[in-house]
Amino acid sequence: MAIKTRNFNVARQQASTNIELIWWVFMRVSGVLLVFLVLGHIYMNNILISNTSIDFDYVASRFSQPLYKVYDLVMLVLAMLHGTNGLRYIIDDYVHHDGWRNIVKYALYFVVAVLITTGTMLLFSFPFNKVGG
Amino acid sequence: MRVTLKVLRYNPEADRAPHWESYQLEAEPTDRVLDLLHNVKWDTDGTLTFRRSCGHGICGSCAMMINGVNRLACKTLVQNLDTDTITVEPIRGLPVEKDLVVDMAPFFQAFKAVKPYLINDDPPPERERLQSPEERAVFDEGTKCILCAACTTSCPVFWVNGTYIGPSAIVNAHRFIFDSRDKGNGERFKALSGGGGIWRCRTAYNCTEACPRDIPVTELIEEVKRAIMVNYV
Ligand code: HEM
Ligand code: FES
């Protein structure tokens, strides 16, 4: 059946793909994982150690262990994608003008891409002293 | 008893925005809100505009927001409301045409989009297409829908989103998706999978509370989500 639509956005809305199903499942799976990851993160950085005594040496010693790098990378990516998709739902709800909706969405995607990239670079550019001099 | 009936009125030819108007009425506890509206229309102000047909909770014409909850005016008794001040507003999220009458076209468009009729191209058998009582029971709840729009217009996603297909359309899709004689699931899943489709549902449960036919709307929506998921995964 041909798609009969007036513009690109309407066409995309009517196109039948599973992408919305996949994001819906992702929100649930990432949400469940985040419960444990975030609780573990709080336990390690606020209870095992007082958050006022977190300094460069503490962070450096953490990031020298590959397991922490993986832990933080998974949490970073899941939280970012989960939060971004949640904001996408909200933008779709409240920003009705096609042009503005696209501008707001792509601004969001840009910021998130920058955050994930810089966060990942930070994790994998340890030891910092060799990078920063 | 004396009751105060407050109606959110709107005349597109005279008013810029809807406004409240109050009417003092003598009412029996067993009067329906529909009777109060009739009293105003017949005795006080003939311009008061609202829809009703059957008066017996089966045609789905008279859904309105009564004391903050979507209900049928013909099924709501004064004594059910536990107050002598009764507010009546049009159902939300659809354009108001006049007083309590809203434009139902977007609602019925969503209904049509899920193809709410039997789809089965197999040559019909000599007699009827047989179905066991158990197979019939699976989709029983959905058959109770009277298309009054109380559920869809109670849904916060429907209010704000502008493209969301709404709980009523999903209930009517459920009616056929789970019918053993029907073969149209592919087409219906397509209609439900787009940007304004079933995945916009956030399980607010307003629809379940609003349904005047006591259909467990949210449960049926979750059953359809599961059916689509199992089909694709
Ligand atoms: C504690 C673990 C978390 C769980 C179990 C969780 C679970 C969920 C679920 C299931 C949804 C989908 C709701 C729906 O579609 O009905 C959702 C939406 C959302 N989540 Fe999370 N989430 C968690 C953490 C987070 C974090 C850390 C963020 C921010 C980075 C976040 C931001 C959002 C946003 C913005 C939405 C969209 C809200 C909406 O649709 O109105 N969540 N969450
Ligand atoms: S008048 Fe028919 S349902 Fe109320």
Side-chain angles (χ1 to χ4, degrees), chain B residues 15-87:
Chain B
D15 306 334
R16 241 190 277 154
H19 60 97
W20 290 97
E21 225 150 284
S22 291
Y23 307 90
Q24 308 294 325
L25 302 166
E26 199 54 48
E28 295 296 325
T30 49
D31 276 349
R32 304 164 299 173
V33 173
L34 182 65
D35 297 318
L36 305 188
L37 292 169
H38 277 147
N39 288 352
V40 172
K41 186 171 178 69
W42 292 337
D43 302 338
T44 316
D45 184 351
T47 67
L48 178 64
T49 306
F50 54 91
R51 285 198 184 99
R52 66 101 178 82
S53 297
C54 69
H56 293 83
I58 201 63
C59 72
S61 305
C62 67
M64 41 193 87
M65 189 184 257
I66 300 169
N67 285 11
V69 178
N70 281 2
R71 327 176 203 229
L72 298 178
C74 72
K75 261 183 103 170
T76 308
L77 305 185
V78 172
Q79 65 189 14
N80 295 151
L81 295 169
D82 284 331
T83 164
D84 50 14
T85 306
I86 298 169
T87 61

Side-chain angles (χ1 to χ4, degrees), chain A residues 1 12-18 20-21 24-25 28 86 88-90 92-94 96, chain B residues 115 157 160-163 190 193-196 199-202 222 225 228-229 232-233:
Chain A
M1 195 184 77
R12 209 158 59 171
Q13 237 161 22
Q14 292 183 2
S16 63
T17 67
N18 293 339
E20 291 294 342
L21 161 63
W24 185 86
V25 173
R28 272 118 195 109
R88 178 180 71 93
Y89 289 162
I90 295 170
D92 276 338
D93 278 351
Y94 290 100
H96 289 179
Chain B
K115 312 198 177 196
V157 181
V160 296
N161 181 280
T163 62
K190 235 184 211 177
S193 297
W199 308 110
R200 288 289 75 78
C201 163
R202 275 135 154 154
E222 295 306 297
K225 283 180 187 166
I228 298 178
M229 202 156 55
Y232 283 128
V233 175

Side-chain angles (χ1 to χ4, degrees), chain B residues 148-211:
Chain B
C148 68
C151 60
T152 293
T153 60
S154 74
C155 170
V157 181
F158 182 80
W159 294 336
V160 296
N161 181 280
T163 62
Y164 178 43
I165 197 162
S168 171
I170 301 172
V171 164
N172 284 283
H174 182 288
R175 154 72 184 81
F176 289 96
I177 288 169
F178 289 92
D179 188 328
S180 58
R181 300 162 296 187
D182 185 89
K183 298 252 165 85
N185 283 9
E187 293 169 53
R188 293 199 188 90
F189 290 173
K190 235 184 211 177
L192 290 168
S193 297
I198 191 167
W199 308 110
R200 288 289 75 78
C201 163
R202 275 135 154 154
T203 51
Y205 274 92
N206 281 16
C207 50
T208 303
E209 287 176 16
C211 180

